Amino acid sequence: MPDMSLPSFNASVLAAVDTLYGWRFPKLKRKFRRIHGRAPKLALPETYYDWMQWRKLFDHNPLFLILNDKLAAREFIARRAPDLNLPRILWVGDGSTAIPPDVLQGDVVVKVNNASDRNYFIRGGQYDPEDLDRTVQRWRTEKAYGRKDGEWSYRLIKRRIFVEEMLTDPDGNVVDINIRAGRGKVAYGTLLLHSKTDRESAIYLTREEKRVGFLCGDGVSEAELEAAPIPDGYQAAIAYAARLSQDIDYARFDFLWSGGKLYGGEITIYPNSGYGSLGALGMDPETAIMNVWDLRNSWFLSVPQRGWRGIYRRMLLAELGKRDGALPPANG
């Protein structure tokens, strides 16, 4: 890591910014410390985990309002990659509209567009109507999703409930493919097996399909993951992620492989909200990500800012420019 020493004025400003945002987001700071054993470096971020917290607090890119909206993100994907399959949307309603029962026949997923991990799975049209109503009502009345973690954009997205077809495969071989990429460059990929169950397991891959790490769910062994086939659509997912990320400094691009077809999914701006550890992999994932994600390509650092943010922006750009070898050259 390069020398981080600063002139006293810059150091004072950066310390003040760090203190201010630590005070504004105490839960974020406590959660980060509990997971990583230290406070996040918010004003002058050093590691991938710091970078992600910085993104949440400072980089209020208007594009994130689209990408964090599950419905608007579909339109973004359709414009950028019209040849990519997308699961069908069967119904969309606002916060006061009941879901028509006929929409809930077959295999479907009920979702809300402005939050993560809000999925209600219905298989074969079998569900408890009262349980579904309680769940949807909880989503409708949930306030300030993501606020405690600094995920600012969710509260600005108009809340919609929607029903999407559930992709199934007779052989049970539906695989989630997640690709981390930025500005057209891919860092690495992840295959998720048995997704959304206690058996959920992950296989971490280089873009050349070398297995570099595993995360085993309940009752799943590394040997099973070592033997699991890599979907034929993995390289196509890499190509689509590179295309979709052209104007995005960094994101996780989610796909589904089902029935021999690749489907687009979500674009995840804050994977695991920047808390989850990447250290269990048999590679250096943090370096892999930082080799494609340059903070200088972020909206905050690419667009002039006003007032103290403008002063802070200039200081941070100067400091990032000093990190010879710690950052790749900015793109464009």
Side-chain angles (χ1 to χ4, degrees):
M1 190 63 64
D3 180 11
M4 304 298 289
S5 61
L6 300 168
S8 58
F9 176 73
N10 286 14
S12 297
V13 171
L14 293 171
V17 171
D18 215 67
T19 299
L20 171 63
Y21 276 83
W23 175 78
R24 287 186 60 191
F25 297 93
K27 292 182 179 179
L28 179 155
K29 192 172 183 177
R30 287 197 299 268
K31 186 173 182 178
F32 191 97
R33 184 185 293 277
R34 185 171 67 250
I35 295 171
H36 295 287
R38 64 170 177 84
K41 297 181 179 180
L42 301 175
L44 187 58
E46 293 184 10
T47 70
Y48 161 78
Y49 309 104
D50 296 321
W51 287 17
M52 188 58 68
Q53 307 314 313
W54 179 91
R55 163 182 268 190
K56 292 189 295 185
L57 302 186
F58 293 97
D59 194 27
H60 292 186
N61 187 342
L63 180 59
F64 292 172
L65 293 171
I66 295 173
L67 303 183
N68 280 332
D69 180 336
K70 290 179 172 60
L71 293 171
R74 287 174 56 95
E75 298 176 7
F76 176 89
I77 293 170
R79 289 194 301 270
R80 299 299 179 92
D83 53 332
L84 177 61
N85 300 305
L86 291 169
R88 289 180 300 137
I89 296 292
L90 306 177
W91 178 86
V92 180
D94 60 27
S96 61
T97 306
I99 303 172
D102 61 305
V103 174
L104 303 176
Q105 302 305 307
D107 298 325
V108 300
V109 187
V110 183
K111 300 182 177 182
V112 64
N113 68 318
N114 67 336
S116 296
D117 296 323
R118 303 294 188 271
N119 305 298
Y120 193 97
F121 296 94
I122 297 175
R123 293 177 173 82
Q126 301 299 307
Y127 67 99
D128 180 339
E130 292 184 359
D131 182 53
L132 175 60
D133 287 345
R134 284 193 300 269
T135 300
V136 171
Q137 182 62 20
R138 186 170 65 251
W139 294 347
R140 287 169 173 163
T141 58
E142 184 177 28
K143 294 182 179 179
Y145 173 85
R147 176 178 293 177
K148 66 180 181 179
D149 290 315
E151 297 175 353
W152 62 278
S153 60
Y154 288 111
R155 63 184 174 84
L156 301 177
I157 297 169
K158 181 180 179 181
R159 185 171 302 169
R160 310 296 299 279
I161 305 296
F162 66 101
V163 181
E164 184 179 270
E165 69 169 328
M166 184 191 306
L167 299 179
T168 58
D169 190 304
D171 298 324
N173 292 326
V174 177
V175 179
D176 290 64
I177 304 175
N178 300 333
I179 307 295
R180 295 176 182 255
R183 288 299 179 100
K185 298 189 294 184
V186 170
Y188 66 89
T190 308
L191 307 182
L192 287 183
L193 310 181
H194 315 297
S195 181
K196 310 298 184 183
T197 72
D198 291 341
R199 286 171 53 81
E200 180 173 289
S201 303
I203 302 171
Y204 298 93
L205 301 167
T206 66
R207 60 179 302 154
E208 295 79 20
E209 304 186 10
K210 178 183 177 182
R211 301 173 201 238
V212 292
F214 304 103
L215 183 63
C216 299
D218 290 350
V220 179
S221 66
E222 285 195 8
E224 180 181 339
L225 299 182
E226 189 68 62
I230 297 173
D232 293 340
Y234 181 70
Q235 290 300 327
I238 285 178
Y240 279 117
R243 191 196 310 183
L244 293 169
S245 70
Q246 288 294 329
D247 298 324
I248 304 171
D249 55 326
Y250 170 73
R252 193 187 75 204
F253 297 84
D254 301 340
F255 303 87
L256 283 170
W257 177 254
S258 174
K261 293 182 179 180
L262 185 70
Y263 293 82
E266 299 174 7
I267 299 175
T268 304
I269 298 299
Y270 312 120
N272 298 312
S273 201
Y275 298 124
S277 176
L278 302 172
L281 309 188
M283 63 172 181
D284 183 358
E286 188 176 341
T287 297
I289 292 172
M290 293 168 79
N291 281 339
V292 305
W293 186 15
D294 186 341
L295 287 192
R296 292 170 292 182
N297 289 326
S298 67
W299 173 85
F300 183 87
L301 294 178
S302 300
V303 175
Q305 305 292 328
R306 294 182 178 180
W308 69 266
R309 289 181 175 83
I311 298 172
Y312 166 59
R313 170 181 175 269
R314 290 191 293 273
M315 288 182 180
L316 183 54
L317 279 171
E319 292 309 315
L320 293 176
K322 294 177 183 178
R323 298 182 182 182
D324 294 335
L327 291 171
N331 296 331

